[in-house]
Structures are given as C-alpha cells and as structure tokens.
Amino acid sequence: TTMYLLAKEHRFTGAKFARLYQKLVAEGISFIPMLRIKGELQGYHFSVRAQMQPRDQYDITRISCVLPYADILVTDGEKAHALRELGLDKAFDVEVFSTKQRERLALINRIRALVD
C-alpha cells in the first residue's frame, strides 16, 4: 500500500525509490519516527505478552503517530511503562503520564504549572 501511494499519489520514480531503498538499508526505519516507534512498541509488547489484541494495535498506531509531535502524552499504564522502558519518552522529549491515580495527580500538577 505504501509503495502504491508513493508511486501513484506522490509520483515517486525509480530513482526516488532507489534512494529510499538505500536509506532504509543504511539506517533501517529509524529515520521515520512513526515506523521506529511502532516497531519498538510492537517488539516490546510481544516480548512481554504472546498475543496482541486489536485495541493494542490501535493504541500503538495512535501513539506512534502522535509521539514525535507531542509535549505531553497520556496513555494506559502498560503503554506508558513501555515508552519509558524503551526510552522513547526521552528520545522524543515527551512527558508521558499514565491513567493511574498517582500519575493523574502529577498530570494535573503539570497542567497547573503550564497555566500559572
């Protein structure tokens, strides 16, 4: 699907595909933040649990799309732990909060600090 969209909608030529291929070979997916985050979160998830539920995939995709642009991210406890464990919070300079009680209080205090 991605290749089709690049060719049809973005008019990628053979030369552009060759440069993209060379960059992927040299750097892997790390130069594309969304793919890097998604790959790391999925790998972490499978290392902790054998199965992935559809809601997990949805959450991982949503986080992968927003993390490079966010200053603050609120997610469930499992995903917040994974982001911190993988160092993605620091890599993208994002404050990560979970929905757990103690972190909700920290989030409220952080928001207060922003508006004061």
Side-chain angles (χ1 to χ4, degrees):
T1 303
T2 302
M3 301 305 263
Y4 176 82
L5 289 172
L6 288 173
K8 293 294 182 187
E9 293 186 20
H10 299 281
R11 294 183 172 83
F12 260 51
T13 61
K16 286 183 180 179
F17 277 119
R19 285 196 303 276
L20 176 61
Y21 173 77
Q22 290 169 351
K23 192 159 181 83
L24 285 168
V25 168
E27 299 180 37
I29 60 170
S30 295
F31 78 99
I32 304 172
M34 186 260 189
L35 294 178
R36 173 188 169 191
I37 295 162
K38 190 170 185 172
E40 288 189 36
L41 285 173
Q42 285 175 334
Y44 183 86
H45 185 88
F46 284 121
S47 74
V48 177
R49 264 197 281 161
Q51 276 192 346
M52 184 175 289
Q53 301 298 319
R55 68 179 180 273
D56 294 320
Q57 189 62 46
Y58 175 76
D59 288 345
I60 288 172
T61 299
R62 195 169 38 118
I63 290 167
S64 300
C65 290
V66 78
L67 192 69
Y69 308 102
D71 293 318
I72 295 173
L73 179 85
V74 181
T75 188
D76 63 49
E78 181 181 323
K79 303 297 183 301
H81 177 75
L83 289 166
R84 292 183 194 118
E85 189 74 21
L86 293 167
L88 292 170
D89 59 334
K90 291 189 181 12
F92 291 95
D93 195 26
V94 178
E95 292 180 74
V96 175
F97 295 91
S98 78
T99 54
K100 293 181 178 180
Q101 179 65 30
R102 70 180 185 281
E103 291 194 37
R104 280 187 283 182
L105 296 174
L107 175 61
I108 290 167
N109 290 332
R110 179 64 177 107
I111 292 170
R112 282 188 180 135
L114 288 171
V115 295
D116 285 343

